[in-house]
């Protein structure tokens, strides 16, 4: 019984680590200096734009475009 509980706890911990890493994958976004919007890589508006860290973009006043905002970065 103790082994089963330990395995379940281990699985939960691994799941939480994977989820955290997935969120951290979105570290960089593409910014449009004219509109002050940022875009995820998969956004159709991200082409030919400068890439910067998401935290920096937010600090500099950039906001997500309509498409990226719906996807909840």
């Amino acid at each position: 019984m103790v082994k089963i509980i330990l395995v379940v706890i281990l699985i939960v911990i691994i799941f939480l680590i994977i989820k955290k890493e997935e969120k951290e994958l979105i570290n960089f976004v593409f910014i449009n200096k004219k509109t002050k919007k940022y875009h995820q890589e998969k956004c159709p508006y991200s082409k030919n734009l400068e890439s910067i860290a998401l935290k920096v973009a937010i600090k500099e006043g950039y906001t997500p475009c309509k498409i990226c905002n719906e996807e909840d970065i």
Side-chain angles (χ1 to χ4, degrees):
M1 186 66 174
V2 172
K3 287 183 179 182
I4 294 174
I5 293 172
L6 289 174
V7 169
V8 170
I9 290 172
L10 183 61
I11 290 171
V12 169
I13 290 171
I14 291 171
F15 176 77
L16 292 173
I17 291 170
I18 291 171
K19 284 307 230 180
K20 182 178 185 239
E21 288 176 357
E22 285 177 1
K23 279 194 158 193
E24 290 177 354
L25 286 177
I26 308 175
N27 285 333
F28 287 88
V29 292
F30 296 88
I31 57 168
N32 184 321
K33 292 181 179 182
K34 292 179 185 177
T35 63
K36 295 292 281 187
K37 299 289 181 187
Y38 65 78
H39 309 275
Q40 295 180 37
E41 186 176 9
K42 59 187 171 183
C43 178
Y45 298 113
S46 69
K47 308 304 178 236
N48 301 318
L49 296 176
E50 179 183 344
S51 173
I52 67 171
L54 174 60
K55 290 180 181 180
V56 173
I58 293 170
K59 185 177 179 180
E60 292 182 5
Y62 288 88
T63 56
C65 77
K66 279 194 285 185
I67 294 170
C68 296
N69 192 39
E70 291 175 1
E71 294 180 7
D72 287 329
I73 287 188

Coordinates of all heavy atoms in Angstrom, one line a residue:
M1 N 0.8 -1.2 0.0 CA 0.0 0.0 0.0 C 0.9 1.3 0.0 O 0.6 2.2 -0.7 CB -0.9 0.0 1.2 CG -1.9 1.1 1.3 SD -3.1 0.9 -0.1 CE -4.2 2.2 0.3
V2 N 1.9 1.3 0.8 CA 2.8 2.4 0.9 C 3.5 2.6 -0.5 O 3.6 3.8 -0.9 CB 3.9 2.2 1.9 CG1 4.9 3.3 1.9 CG2 3.3 2.1 3.3
K3 N 3.9 1.6 -1.2 CA 4.5 1.7 -2.5 C 3.5 2.4 -3.5 O 3.9 3.2 -4.3 CB 4.9 0.3 -3.1 CG 6.1 -0.2 -2.4 CD 6.5 -1.5 -3.0 CE 7.8 -2.1 -2.3 NZ 8.2 -3.3 -2.9
I4 N 2.3 2.0 -3.4 CA 1.3 2.6 -4.3 C 1.1 4.1 -4.1 O 1.1 4.9 -5.0 CB -0.1 1.9 -4.2 CG1 0.0 0.4 -4.7 CG2 -1.2 2.6 -5.0 CD1 -1.2 -0.4 -4.5
I5 N 1.1 4.5 -2.8 CA 1.0 5.9 -2.5 C 2.2 6.7 -2.9 O 2.1 7.7 -3.5 CB 0.8 6.0 -0.9 CG1 -0.6 5.5 -0.5 CG2 0.9 7.5 -0.5 CD1 -0.8 5.4 1.0
L6 N 3.4 6.1 -2.8 CA 4.6 6.7 -3.2 C 4.6 6.9 -4.8 O 5.0 7.9 -5.3 CB 5.8 5.9 -2.8 CG 6.1 6.0 -1.3 CD1 7.3 5.1 -0.9 CD2 6.4 7.4 -0.8
V7 N 4.2 5.9 -5.5 CA 4.1 6.0 -6.9 C 3.1 7.1 -7.3 O 3.4 7.9 -8.2 CB 3.7 4.6 -7.5 CG1 3.4 4.8 -9.0 CG2 4.8 3.6 -7.3
V8 N 2.0 7.1 -6.7 CA 1.0 8.2 -7.0 C 1.6 9.6 -6.8 O 1.5 10.5 -7.6 CB -0.3 8.0 -6.2 CG1 -1.2 9.2 -6.4 CG2 -1.0 6.7 -6.7
I9 N 2.2 9.7 -5.6 CA 2.9 11.0 -5.3 C 3.9 11.4 -6.3 O 4.0 12.5 -6.8 CB 3.4 11.0 -3.9 CG1 2.3 10.9 -2.8 CG2 4.3 12.2 -3.6 CD1 2.8 10.7 -1.4
L10 N 4.7 10.4 -6.7 CA 5.7 10.6 -7.7 C 5.1 11.1 -9.1 O 5.6 12.0 -9.7 CB 6.6 9.4 -7.9 CG 7.8 9.5 -8.9 CD1 8.7 10.6 -8.4 CD2 8.5 8.2 -9.0
I11 N 4.1 10.4 -9.5 CA 3.4 10.7 -10.7 C 2.8 12.2 -10.7 O 2.9 12.9 -11.6 CB 2.2 9.7 -11.0 CG1 2.9 8.4 -11.4 CG2 1.3 10.2 -12.1 CD1 1.9 7.2 -11.5
V12 N 2.2 12.5 -9.5 CA 1.7 13.9 -9.4 C 2.8 14.9 -9.5 O 2.7 15.9 -10.2 CB 0.9 14.0 -8.1 CG1 0.6 15.5 -7.8 CG2 -0.3 13.2 -8.1
I13 N 4.0 14.6 -8.8 CA 5.1 15.6 -8.9 C 5.6 15.7 -10.3 O 5.9 16.8 -10.8 CB 6.2 15.1 -7.9 CG1 5.7 15.3 -6.5 CG2 7.5 15.9 -8.2 CD1 6.7 14.6 -5.4
I14 N 5.8 14.6 -11.0 CA 6.2 14.7 -12.4 C 5.3 15.5 -13.2 O 5.7 16.3 -14.1 CB 6.4 13.2 -12.9 CG1 7.6 12.6 -12.2 CG2 6.6 13.3 -14.5 CD1 7.8 11.1 -12.5
F15 N 4.0 15.2 -13.1 CA 2.9 16.0 -13.8 C 3.1 17.5 -13.6 O 3.0 18.3 -14.5 CB 1.6 15.5 -13.4 CG 0.4 16.2 -14.1 CD1 0.1 16.0 -15.4 CD2 -0.3 17.2 -13.4 CE1 -0.9 16.7 -16.0 CE2 -1.3 17.9 -14.0 CZ -1.6 17.7 -15.3
L16 N 3.3 17.9 -12.3 CA 3.4 19.3 -12.0 C 4.6 19.9 -12.6 O 4.6 21.0 -13.1 CB 3.4 19.5 -10.5 CG 2.0 19.2 -9.8 CD1 2.2 19.2 -8.3 CD2 1.0 20.1 -10.3
I17 N 5.7 19.2 -12.6 CA 7.0 19.6 -13.2 C 6.8 19.8 -14.7 O 7.2 20.9 -15.3 CB 8.1 18.7 -12.9 CG1 8.5 18.7 -11.5 CG2 9.3 19.0 -13.8 CD1 9.5 17.7 -11.0
I18 N 6.1 18.9 -15.4 CA 5.9 19.0 -16.8 C 5.0 20.2 -17.1 O 5.3 21.0 -18.1 CB 5.3 17.7 -17.4 CG1 6.3 16.6 -17.3 CG2 4.7 17.9 -18.8 CD1 5.7 15.2 -17.6
K19 N 4.0 20.4 -16.4 CA 3.1 21.6 -16.6 C 3.8 22.9 -16.4 O 3.7 23.8 -17.2 CB 1.9 21.6 -15.6 CG 0.8 20.6 -16.0 CD 0.4 20.8 -17.4 CE -1.0 20.9 -17.6 NZ -1.4 21.1 -19.0
K20 N 4.7 23.0 -15.4 CA 5.5 24.2 -15.2 C 6.4 24.4 -16.4 O 6.5 25.5 -16.9 CB 6.3 24.0 -13.9 CG 7.1 25.3 -13.6 CD 7.9 25.1 -12.3 CE 8.6 26.4 -12.0 NZ 10.0 26.3 -11.9
E21 N 7.1 23.4 -16.9 CA 8.0 23.5 -18.0 C 7.2 23.9 -19.3 O 7.7 24.7 -20.1 CB 8.7 22.2 -18.3 CG 9.8 21.9 -17.2 CD 10.5 20.6 -17.4 OE1 10.1 19.8 -18.3 OE2 11.4 20.3 -16.6
E22 N 6.0 23.5 -19.5 CA 5.2 23.9 -20.6 C 4.9 25.4 -20.6 O 5.0 26.0 -21.6 CB 3.8 23.1 -20.7 CG 4.0 21.7 -21.1 CD 2.6 20.9 -21.1 OE1 1.6 21.5 -20.7 OE2 2.6 19.8 -21.4
K23 N 4.6 25.9 -19.4 CA 4.3 27.3 -19.3 C 5.6 28.1 -19.6 O 5.6 29.2 -20.2 CB 3.8 27.7 -17.9 CG 2.3 27.4 -17.8 CD 1.8 28.1 -16.5 CE 0.4 28.3 -16.7 NZ -0.2 29.2 -15.7
E24 N 6.7 27.6 -19.1 CA 8.0 28.3 -19.3 C 8.5 28.3 -20.7 O 9.4 29.0 -21.1 CB 9.1 27.8 -18.3 CG 8.8 28.1 -16.9 CD 9.8 27.5 -15.9 OE1 10.6 26.7 -16.3 OE2 9.7 27.8 -14.7
L25 N 7.9 27.4 -21.6 CA 8.3 27.4 -23.0 C 8.0 28.7 -23.7 O 8.6 29.0 -24.7 CB 7.7 26.2 -23.7 CG 8.3 24.8 -23.3 CD1 7.5 23.7 -24.0 CD2 9.7 24.7 -23.7
I26 N 7.0 29.3 -23.2 CA 6.5 30.6 -23.8 C 7.3 31.7 -23.2 O 6.8 32.6 -22.5 CB 5.0 30.8 -23.7 CG1 4.3 29.6 -24.2 CG2 4.6 32.1 -24.5 CD1 2.8 29.7 -24.0
N27 N 8.6 31.7 -23.4 CA 9.5 32.7 -22.8 C 9.7 33.9 -23.7 O 10.0 35.0 -23.3 CB 10.9 32.2 -22.4 CG 10.8 31.3 -21.2 OD1 10.0 31.5 -20.3 ND2 11.7 30.3 -21.1
F28 N 9.6 33.7 -25.0 CA 9.8 34.7 -26.0 C 8.6 35.0 -26.8 O 7.8 34.0 -27.1 CB 11.0 34.3 -26.9 CG 12.3 34.4 -26.2 CD1 12.8 33.3 -25.5 CD2 13.0 35.6 -26.2 CE1 14.0 33.4 -24.8 CE2 14.3 35.7 -25.5 CZ 14.7 34.6 -24.8
V29 N 8.4 36.2 -27.2 CA 7.3 36.6 -28.0 C 7.9 37.5 -29.1 O 9.0 38.0 -29.1 CB 6.2 37.4 -27.2 CG1 5.5 36.4 -26.3 CG2 6.8 38.6 -26.5
F30 N 7.0 37.8 -30.1 CA 7.4 38.7 -31.2 C 6.7 40.0 -31.1 O 5.5 40.0 -30.9 CB 7.1 38.0 -32.5 CG 7.9 36.7 -32.7 CD1 7.4 35.5 -32.2 CD2 9.1 36.8 -33.3 CE1 8.2 34.4 -32.4 CE2 9.9 35.6 -33.5 CZ 9.4 34.4 -33.0
I31 N 7.4 41.1 -31.1 CA 6.8 42.4 -30.8 C 6.6 43.2 -32.1 O 7.5 43.2 -33.0 CB 7.6 43.2 -29.8 CG1 9.0 43.4 -30.2 CG2 7.5 42.5 -28.4 CD1 9.8 44.4 -29.4
N32 N 5.6 44.0 -32.1 CA 5.3 45.0 -33.2 C 5.5 46.3 -32.5 O 4.6 46.7 -31.7 CB 3.9 44.8 -33.8 CG 3.7 45.7 -34.9 OD1 4.1 46.9 -34.9 ND2 3.0 45.2 -36.0
K33 N 6.5 47.0 -32.9 CA 6.8 48.3 -32.2 C 5.8 49.4 -32.5 O 5.6 50.3 -31.7 CB 8.2 48.8 -32.6 CG 9.3 47.9 -32.0 CD 10.7 48.4 -32.3 CE 11.8 47.5 -31.7 NZ 13.1 47.9 -32.0
K34 N 5.2 49.3 -33.7 CA 4.2 50.3 -34.1 C 2.9 50.1 -33.3 O 2.3 51.1 -32.8 CB 3.8 50.2 -35.6 CG 5.0 50.6 -36.4 CD 4.6 50.5 -37.9 CE 5.8 50.8 -38.8 NZ 5.5 50.6 -40.2
T35 N 2.4 48.9 -33.1 CA 1.1 48.7 -32.4 C 1.3 48.4 -30.9 O 0.3 48.4 -30.2 CB 0.4 47.4 -33.0 OG1 1.2 46.3 -32.8 CG2 0.2 47.7 -34.5
K36 N 2.6 48.2 -30.5 CA 2.8 47.8 -29.1 C 2.1 46.5 -28.7 O 1.7 46.3 -27.5 CB 2.5 48.9 -28.1 CG 3.3 50.2 -28.3 CD 4.7 50.0 -27.9 CE 4.9 50.0 -26.4 NZ 6.3 50.0 -25.9
K37 N 2.0 45.6 -29.6 CA 1.4 44.3 -29.4 C 2.5 43.2 -29.5 O 3.5 43.4 -30.2 CB 0.3 44.0 -30.4 CG -0.9 44.9 -30.4 CD -1.7 44.8 -29.2 CE -2.9 45.7 -29.2 NZ -3.6 45.7 -28.0
Y38 N 2.3 42.1 -28.7 CA 3.2 41.0 -28.9 C 2.4 39.8 -29.4 O 1.2 39.7 -29.2 CB 4.0 40.7 -27.6 CG 3.2 40.2 -26.4 CD1 2.7 38.9 -26.3 CD2 2.9 41.1 -25.4 CE1 2.0 38.5 -25.2 CE2 2.2 40.7 -24.2 CZ 1.8 39.4 -24.2 OH 1.1 38.9 -23.1
H39 N 3.1 38.9 -30.0 CA 2.5 37.7 -30.6 C 3.3 36.4 -30.3 O 4.6 36.5 -30.2 CB 2.5 37.9 -32.2 CG 2.0 39.2 -32.6 ND1 0.6 39.3 -32.8 CD2 2.6 40.4 -32.9 CE1 0.4 40.6 -33.2 NE2 1.6 41.2 -33.2
Q40 N 2.6 35.3 -30.1 CA 3.3 34.0 -30.0 C 3.8 33.6 -31.3 O 3.4 34.1 -32.4 CB 2.3 33.0 -29.5 CG 1.7 33.3 -28.1 CD 0.7 32.2 -27.7 OE1 0.9 31.1 -28.0 NE2 -0.3 32.6 -27.0
E41 N 4.7 32.6 -31.3 CA 5.3 32.1 -32.5 C 4.2 31.6 -33.5 O 4.3 31.8 -34.7 CB 6.3 31.1 -32.2 CG 7.1 30.6 -33.5 CD 8.2 29.6 -33.1 OE1 8.2 29.1 -32.0 OE2 9.0 29.3 -34.0
K42 N 3.2 31.0 -33.0 CA 2.2 30.4 -33.9 C 1.2 31.4 -34.4 O 0.4 31.1 -35.3 CB 1.5 29.2 -33.2 CG 0.8 29.6 -31.9 CD 0.3 28.3 -31.2 CE -0.2 28.7 -29.8 NZ -0.7 27.5 -29.1
C43 N 1.2 32.6 -34.0 CA 0.3 33.6 -34.4 C 0.6 34.1 -35.8 O 1.8 34.2 -36.2 CB 0.4 34.9 -33.5 SG -0.7 36.2 -34.0
P44 N -0.4 34.2 -36.7 CA -0.1 34.6 -38.1 C 0.5 36.0 -38.2 O 1.2 36.3 -39.2 CB -1.5 34.6 -38.7 CG -2.5 34.6 -37.6 CD -1.8 34.0 -36.4
Y45 N 0.4 36.8 -37.1 CA 1.0 38.2 -37.2 C 2.4 38.2 -36.6 O 3.0 39.3 -36.5 CB 0.1 39.1 -36.4 CG -1.3 39.3 -36.9 CD1 -2.4 38.8 -36.2 CD2 -1.5 39.8 -38.2 CE1 -3.7 38.9 -36.8 CE2 -2.8 39.9 -38.7 CZ -3.9 39.5 -38.0 OH -5.1 39.6 -38.5
S46 N 3.0 37.1 -36.3 CA 4.3 37.1 -35.7 C 5.5 37.1 -36.7 O 6.6 37.3 -36.4 CB 4.5 35.9 -34.8 OG 4.5 34.7 -35.6
K47 N 5.1 37.0 -38.0 CA 6.2 36.9 -39.0 C 6.9 38.2 -39.2 O 6.4 39.3 -39.1 CB 5.5 36.6 -40.4 CG 4.6 35.4 -40.3 CD 5.3 34.1 -39.8 CE 4.4 32.9 -39.8 NZ 4.2 32.3 -38.5
N48 N 8.2 38.1 -39.3 CA 9.2 39.2 -39.6 C 9.2 40.2 -38.4 O 9.4 41.4 -38.7 CB 8.8 39.9 -40.9 CG 8.9 39.0 -42.1 OD1 9.8 38.1 -42.2 ND2 8.0 39.0 -43.0
L49 N 9.0 39.8 -37.2 CA 9.0 40.7 -36.1 C 10.2 40.4 -35.2 O 10.7 39.3 -35.2 CB 7.7 40.6 -35.3 CG 6.4 41.1 -36.0 CD1 5.2 40.9 -35.1 CD2 6.6 42.6 -36.4
E50 N 10.6 41.3 -34.3 CA 11.7 41.1 -33.4 C 11.2 40.2 -32.2 O 10.1 40.4 -31.7 CB 12.1 42.5 -32.9 CG 13.2 42.5 -31.8 CD 13.5 43.8 -31.3 OE1 13.1 44.8 -31.9 OE2 14.2 43.9 -30.3
S51 N 12.1 39.4 -31.8 CA 11.8 38.4 -30.7 C 12.4 39.0 -29.4 O 13.6 39.4 -29.4 CB 12.4 37.1 -31.0 OG 12.3 36.2 -29.9
I52 N 11.7 39.0 -28.3 CA 12.2 39.4 -27.0 C 11.5 38.6 -26.0 O 10.5 37.9 -26.2 CB 12.0 40.9 -26.7 CG1 10.5 41.3 -26.6 CG2 12.6 41.8 -27.8 CD1 10.3 42.7 -26.0
A53 N 12.1 38.6 -24.8 CA 11.5 37.9 -23.7 C 10.1 38.4 -23.3 O 9.9 39.6 -23.4 CB 12.4 38.0 -22.4
L54 N 9.2 37.5 -23.0 CA 7.9 37.9 -22.7 C 7.8 38.9 -21.5 O 7.1 39.9 -21.5 CB 7.0 36.7 -22.3 CG 5.6 36.9 -21.8 CD1 4.8 37.7 -22.9 CD2 4.9 35.6 -21.5
K55 N 8.6 38.6 -20.5 CA 8.6 39.5 -19.3 C 9.1 40.9 -19.7 O 8.5 41.9 -19.2 CB 9.6 38.9 -18.2 CG 9.0 37.7 -17.5 CD 10.0 37.2 -16.5 CE 9.5 35.9 -15.8 NZ 10.4 35.4 -14.8
V56 N 10.0 41.0 -20.6 CA 10.5 42.3 -21.0 C 9.4 43.0 -21.8 O 9.2 44.2 -21.7 CB 11.8 42.2 -21.9 CG1 12.2 43.5 -22.5 CG2 12.9 41.6 -21.0
A57 N 8.8 42.3 -22.7 CA 7.7 42.9 -23.5 C 6.6 43.4 -22.6 O 6.1 44.6 -22.8 CB 7.1 41.8 -24.4
I58 N 6.2 42.7 -21.6 CA 5.2 43.2 -20.7 C 5.7 44.4 -19.9 O 4.9 45.4 -19.8 CB 4.7 42.1 -19.7 CG1 4.0 41.0 -20.5 CG2 3.8 42.6 -18.6 CD1 3.7 39.7 -19.8
K59 N 6.9 44.3 -19.5 CA 7.5 45.5 -18.7 C 7.5 46.7 -19.6 O 7.3 47.8 -19.1 CB 8.9 45.1 -18.2 CG 9.5 46.1 -17.3 CD 10.9 45.6 -16.9 CE 11.6 46.7 -16.0 NZ 12.9 46.2 -15.5
E60 N 7.8 46.6 -20.9 CA 7.9 47.7 -21.8 C 6.5 48.2 -22.3 O 6.4 49.1 -23.1 CB 8.8 47.4 -22.9 CG 10.2 47.2 -22.5 CD 11.2 46.9 -23.7 OE1 10.7 46.9 -24.8 OE2 12.4 46.7 -23.4
G61 N 5.4 47.6 -21.8 CA 4.1 48.0 -22.1 C 3.4 47.3 -23.3 O 2.3 47.8 -23.7
Y62 N 4.0 46.3 -23.8 CA 3.4 45.5 -24.9 C 2.2 44.7 -24.3 O 2.3 44.2 -23.2 CB 4.4 44.6 -25.6 CG 5.4 45.4 -26.4 CD1 6.6 45.9 -25.9 CD2 5.1 45.6 -27.7 CE1 7.5 46.6 -26.6 CE2 6.0 46.3 -28.5 CZ 7.2 46.8 -28.0 OH 8.1 47.5 -28.7
T63 N 1.2 44.5 -25.1 CA 0.0 43.7 -24.7 C -0.2 42.6 -25.8 O 0.2 42.9 -27.0 CB -1.2 44.5 -24.6 OG1 -1.5 45.3 -25.8 CG2 -1.1 45.5 -23.4
P64 N -0.8 41.5 -25.5 CA -1.1 40.5 -26.5 C -2.0 41.0 -27.6 O -3.0 41.7 -27.3 CB -1.6 39.3 -25.7 CG -2.2 39.9 -24.5 CD -1.4 41.1 -24.2
C65 N -1.8 40.5 -28.8 CA -2.8 40.8 -29.9 C -4.1 40.1 -29.6 O -4.2 39.2 -28.7 CB -2.2 40.4 -31.2 SG -2.2 38.6 -31.6
K66 N -5.1 40.3 -30.4 CA -6.4 39.7 -30.1 C -6.3 38.2 -30.2 O -6.9 37.5 -29.3 CB -7.4 40.1 -31.2 CG -8.1 41.4 -30.9 CD -9.3 41.7 -31.8 CE -8.9 42.0 -33.2 NZ -10.0 42.3 -34.1
I67 N -5.6 37.6 -31.1 CA -5.5 36.2 -31.3 C -4.7 35.6 -30.1 O -5.2 34.6 -29.5 CB -4.8 35.8 -32.6 CG1 -5.7 36.3 -33.8 CG2 -4.5 34.4 -32.7 CD1 -5.0 36.2 -35.1
C68 N -3.6 36.2 -29.8 CA -2.8 35.6 -28.7 C -3.5 35.8 -27.3 O -3.3 35.0 -26.4 CB -1.4 36.3 -28.7 SG -0.5 35.9 -30.1
N69 N -4.2 36.9 -27.2 CA -5.0 37.1 -25.9 C -6.0 36.0 -25.7 O -6.2 35.6 -24.5 CB -5.6 38.5 -25.9 CG -6.1 38.9 -24.5 OD1 -5.5 38.6 -23.5 ND2 -7.3 39.5 -24.5
E70 N -6.6 35.6 -26.7 CA -7.7 34.5 -26.6 C -7.0 33.2 -26.2 O -7.7 32.3 -25.6 CB -8.4 34.3 -27.9 CG -9.3 35.5 -28.3 CD -9.9 35.4 -29.6 OE1 -9.7 34.4 -30.3 OE2 -10.7 36.3 -30.0
E71 N -5.7 33.0 -26.5 CA -5.1 31.8 -26.2 C -4.5 31.8 -24.8 O -3.9 30.8 -24.3 CB -4.0 31.5 -27.2 CG -4.6 31.2 -28.6 CD -3.5 30.9 -29.6 OE1 -2.3 30.8 -29.2 OE2 -3.8 30.8 -30.8
D72 N -4.6 32.9 -24.1 CA -4.1 33.0 -22.7 C -2.7 32.6 -22.6 O -2.4 31.5 -22.1 CB -5.0 32.2 -21.7 CG -6.3 32.9 -21.5 OD1 -6.3 34.1 -21.5 OD2 -7.2 32.2 -21.2
I73 N -1.8 33.4 -22.9 CA -0.4 33.1 -22.8 C 0.0 32.8 -21.4 O -0.5 33.3 -20.4 CB 0.5 34.3 -23.3 CG1 0.4 34.4 -24.8 CG2 1.9 34.2 -22.8 CD1 1.3 35.3 -25.4

